[in-house]
Amino acid sequence: MKLSREQIQFINDYLENSDIIHIDIRLEMVDHVASNIEERISNGDKRDFYFIFKDYMVKNKSLLLKNNKKFLRAAEIKILKAIGRTMLSFYGILVFAISFASIYLMSINVNSVVFVPYILSAPIIGFVIFAITYFSGMKFFKLDRYSSIERLGFVCGMFFQLFYFVSIFYKNILEQKTIVLALIAGFSMVLLFALAKVYTQMVAYYRNRFEFVE
Amino acid sequence: MHKKIMYIFVVQIEVLMSNSKLYKGSLNTIILKLLQVHHKMYGYEITQKVKAITNGELNITEGALYPALHKLEAEGLLEVEVTKVDNRLRKYYKLTSMGNRETVNKLTELAEYIKTMQVLVNSKLA
């Protein structure tokens, strides 16, 4: 016996309310729970769906939540690898070289005190604007949340915060040592490039696999 | 035929199962071997297949299975296909070409390991 659309929706809502917020993780769990319940019914369990579901959850809920955390860790590893690959790709190195050269040449001709704060705070400001737009868009349009896209934001947010702290604590060094400033600016630009490229790849990945499934 | 190969394979794995560390190390090989034989499978199907082949002796929990599947996917050994089945979406896993090569390597490694262990266990060490 197969579960009805309403019963599947019930499992989905329950898991979503249990903090399994990402659709790509949840859909697999919904299928697992539903398959297990269907098997129990096929094996002769005559009880109502809700009692079978309750029994399953009492026994397995903590395991499912633990599984959710492990999935997020796997997503982070996947993202870090993708970012690393993009940064070391031909275009990544090109972005780094152009940014590095531009900042270095600019700092020779213009007093670096003028533009150091802008260069170092630009990535974190850009990232905060991106995050606000993303979450407002998700809430306003009620879009599904995907784990890898959000973990990508989390990973990059950590990097950008690091740049920001560097800019606060080592401001004097950065103003005097133009080569260090150019290196940091080059690195933050290539990271922004990797963030944009991996984000595009992730969106395409999810579109191909999830959104157009009929 | 496939069922017979899987049975021999999983029975061999079972010898190692009493030690949970060895079990963890063999889980990826079990998944890869199953996918090599069955082309594409979903999570619940994998747990049930292993249970059926081993007559209920070996039970892979979802807490162990899904993280392993996601890790194999992140490593590029598996690819995912999502299909709508019975009012819900189902995620099927299948081997990539890299996954196929890795399966052969893992099985060879495991066969060597089992052979060495058998020699050690059967020999008169004293």
Side-chain angles (χ1 to χ4, degrees):
Chain A
M1 185 221 147
K2 301 296 171 197
L3 297 184
S4 68
R5 194 179 286 270
E6 290 72 29
Q7 287 165 333
I8 296 290
Q9 190 60 47
F10 179 84
I11 300 172
N12 182 67
D13 293 346
Y14 180 89
L15 292 177
E16 192 174 6
N17 291 330
S18 303
D19 275 346
I20 303 172
I21 51 172
H22 300 112
I23 182 80
D24 51 324
I25 302 175
R26 204 168 60 241
L27 78 86
E28 196 164 37
M29 292 188 187
V30 169
D31 185 41
H32 190 97
V33 175
S35 300
N36 188 287
I37 293 171
E38 283 172 352
E39 200 197 348
R40 286 176 194 217
I41 294 169
S42 301
N43 289 340
D45 195 332
K46 302 271 183 230
R47 291 176 300 159
D48 189 73
F49 160 78
Y50 297 101
F51 290 106
I52 304 173
F53 174 75
K54 200 179 98 186
D55 272 3
Y56 181 89
M57 277 303 157
V58 166
K59 205 174 161 192
N60 296 292
K61 190 178 176 182
S62 62
L63 205 62
L64 290 172
L65 296 180
K66 204 171 154 192
N67 186 18
N68 185 37
K69 282 183 189 160
K70 285 185 181 171
F71 187 101
L72 293 175
R73 244 172 270 142
E76 281 165 12
I77 293 167
K78 191 168 139 184
I79 288 157
L80 282 170
K81 279 184 182 170
I83 288 176
R85 270 197 307 272
T86 311
M87 287 172 85
L88 294 172
S89 69
F90 171 75
Y91 289 108
I93 293 167
L94 191 69
V95 168
F96 177 82
I98 292 170
S99 315
F100 175 82
S102 312
I103 299 297
Y104 189 71
L105 291 173
M106 201 159 77
S107 59
I108 291 169
N109 299 312
V110 185
N111 184 5
S112 55
V113 177
V114 179
F115 62 85
V116 163
Y118 296 105
I119 287 175
L120 292 170
S121 55
I124 187 82
I125 292 169
F127 178 73
V128 168
I129 292 169
F130 173 79
I132 291 169
T133 314
Y134 174 80
F135 283 108
S136 312
M138 297 300 280
K139 199 158 180 125
F140 187 72
F141 295 109
K142 293 193 171 139
L143 301 173
D144 287 324
R145 294 171 70 174
Y146 290 94
S147 63
S148 293
I149 292 175
E150 292 193 6
R151 296 320 273 182
L152 172 67
F154 173 75
V155 169
C156 287
M158 291 292 117
F159 276 117
F160 291 138
Q161 263 193 328
L162 186 72
F163 288 138
Y164 188 66
F165 285 123
V166 166
S167 72
I168 293 169
F169 291 117
Y170 300 102
K171 198 180 168 198
N172 292 338
I173 297 172
L174 294 171
E175 281 169 0
Q176 286 154 18
K177 303 256 182 193
T178 49
I179 195 144
V180 179
L181 175 70
L183 273 173
I184 289 184
F187 190 69
S188 65
M189 284 313 290
V190 75
L191 192 61
L192 269 177
F193 168 72
L195 168 66
K197 194 164 179 210
V198 174
Y199 174 78
T200 317
Q201 285 168 350
M202 292 288 174
V203 170
Y205 170 89
Y206 284 123
R207 277 196 168 186
N208 286 335
R209 281 166 182 77
F210 295 91
E211 283 190 18
F212 302 124
V213 178
E214 283 303 327
Chain B
M1 179 65 184
H2 283 159
K3 203 174 173 183
K4 198 178 171 186
I5 294 168
M6 265 314 295
Y7 180 77
I8 294 165
F9 172 71
V10 176
V11 165
Q12 282 177 327
I13 296 285
E14 265 188 278
V15 177
L16 311 172
M17 291 302 166
S18 56
N19 185 318
S20 63
K21 281 184 185 170
L22 291 174
Y23 165 75
K24 274 186 182 175
S26 308
L27 181 59
N28 287 355
T29 315
I30 296 174
I31 295 169
L32 292 171
K33 177 64 190 173
L34 274 169
L35 291 171
Q36 189 192 49
V37 175
H38 293 280
H39 179 57
K40 68 172 186 179
M41 294 177 93
Y42 58 97
Y44 190 75
E45 189 182 14
I46 294 175
T47 61
Q48 295 310 296
K49 185 63 81 178
V50 172
K51 207 170 162 185
I53 292 169
T54 62
N55 293 324
E57 284 293 317
L58 178 57
N59 193 9
I60 301 178
T61 62
E62 52 267 53
L65 176 71
Y66 290 108
L69 284 170
H70 302 150
K71 196 164 169 276
L72 290 170
E73 192 202 346
E75 286 170 1
L77 301 178
L78 301 184
E79 60 181 336
V80 166
E81 186 185 301
V82 182
T83 316
K84 196 163 189 180
V85 179
D86 302 330
N87 297 321
R88 58 189 182 260
L89 294 178
R90 179 164 284 167
K91 211 169 161 185
Y92 282 97
Y93 293 91
K94 46 186 182 177
L95 291 177
T96 59
S97 50
M98 196 164 92
N100 269 310
R101 287 195 297 274
E102 185 63 16
T103 308
V104 176
N105 292 340
K106 288 255 183 203
L107 290 172
T108 312
E109 270 175 32
L110 187 70
E112 286 293 320
Y113 177 74
I114 291 169
K115 212 168 119 186
T116 310
M117 286 304 290
Q118 276 172 343
V119 170
L120 274 171
V121 169
N122 296 330
S123 69
K124 289 171 185 168
L125 292 173

